[in-house]
Amino acid sequence: MAGQATEKRVSVYLYIPNIIGYIRVLMNFVAFALCFSHKKLFAILYFFSFICDGLDGWFARKFNQVSTFGAVLDMVTDRVSTTCLLVILSQIYSPGLSFLSLLALDIASHWFQMYSTFLSGKASHKDVKDSTNWLFKAYYGNRLFMAYCCVGSEVLYIILFLLAEKQPESVVDVFVNTMKEKPLLILPLLFSSLGWAIKQAINVIQMKTAADACVYYDMNRTK
């Protein structure tokens, strides 16, 4: 029995989506190691790692290799990579506190959501069918909409990283100058900014909804 358990554990670690997760970790490690010396290579590696975030989910469903370990690996990789990028942006743009605030919101909302999911006994933090907020339900209920918001947010951060020249630089000034001097970037900036804005709204809603779930759990427990 012990041998079978070990075999099963090893097989989970070798699931295709989990192997993709390991590759994502490696790509992010290399990307951030080279971020200041090879900015374009960083952007390519970081973005490709982000695209793999969608691929691992597809492979997990395709080959019936969904696992709790894979879900945790996926979320941790997402949060850590976004965290590192936001910290870098907070150092090359002013006010840096704006990016650190976005980082705090991202971590807090996902932590609250994961913990409230655990308390409610749900299998996935994406199970929000009982939510009364239409935007929150649309985000987790429609993969394309969710992908647009996530991709838009990450693309905006990558563009800002590539555009930064002087340090520290004002985000507003960079936006204004880009609109004037680089018209080809206007559409990508607007497209990604809209996705980013929706994602931040979702983070706020998610944190409030999850916090309420924690409070309701305490109220029911003390009855």
Side-chain angles (χ1 to χ4, degrees), residues 9 24 38 54 57 62 71 87 92 102 110 114 127 155 165 193-194 213 216 218:
R9 185 173 68 249
R24 288 187 65 204
H38 299 81
K62 175 73 173 178
V87 168
I92 60 180
L102 291 172
H110 282 85
M114 288 298 293
D127 182 359
V155 166
E165 295 176 359
S193 295
L194 178 59
Y216 292 147
D218 283 336

Side-chain angles (χ1 to χ4, degrees), residues 58-123:
W58 184 86
F59 276 106
R61 294 184 295 273
K62 175 73 173 178
F63 296 103
N64 193 27
Q65 293 184 340
V66 176
S67 65
T68 302
F69 169 75
V72 173
L73 175 64
D74 182 56
M75 175 171 281
V76 170
T77 303
D78 289 344
R79 301 280 70 75
V80 171
S81 57
T82 301
T83 295
C84 290
L85 183 51
L86 284 172
V87 168
I88 288 174
L89 290 175
S90 74
Q91 299 303 302
I92 60 180
Y93 280 102
S94 63
L97 184 59
S98 58
F99 290 100
L100 294 179
S101 298
L102 291 172
L103 170 57
L105 174 61
D106 186 62
I107 293 175
S109 67
H110 282 85
W111 176 257
F112 267 105
Q113 181 67 5
M114 288 298 293
Y115 201 79
S116 66
T117 299
F118 168 74
L119 292 177
S120 62
K122 294 178 181 178

Side-chain angles (χ1 to χ4, degrees), residues 11-23 55-56 59-60 63 65:
S11 69
V12 171
Y13 284 129
L14 295 179
Y15 278 178
I16 294 174
N18 295 342
I19 292 175
I20 294 175
Y22 308 146
I23 295 172
L55 290 178
D56 61 9
F59 276 106
F63 296 103
Q65 293 184 340

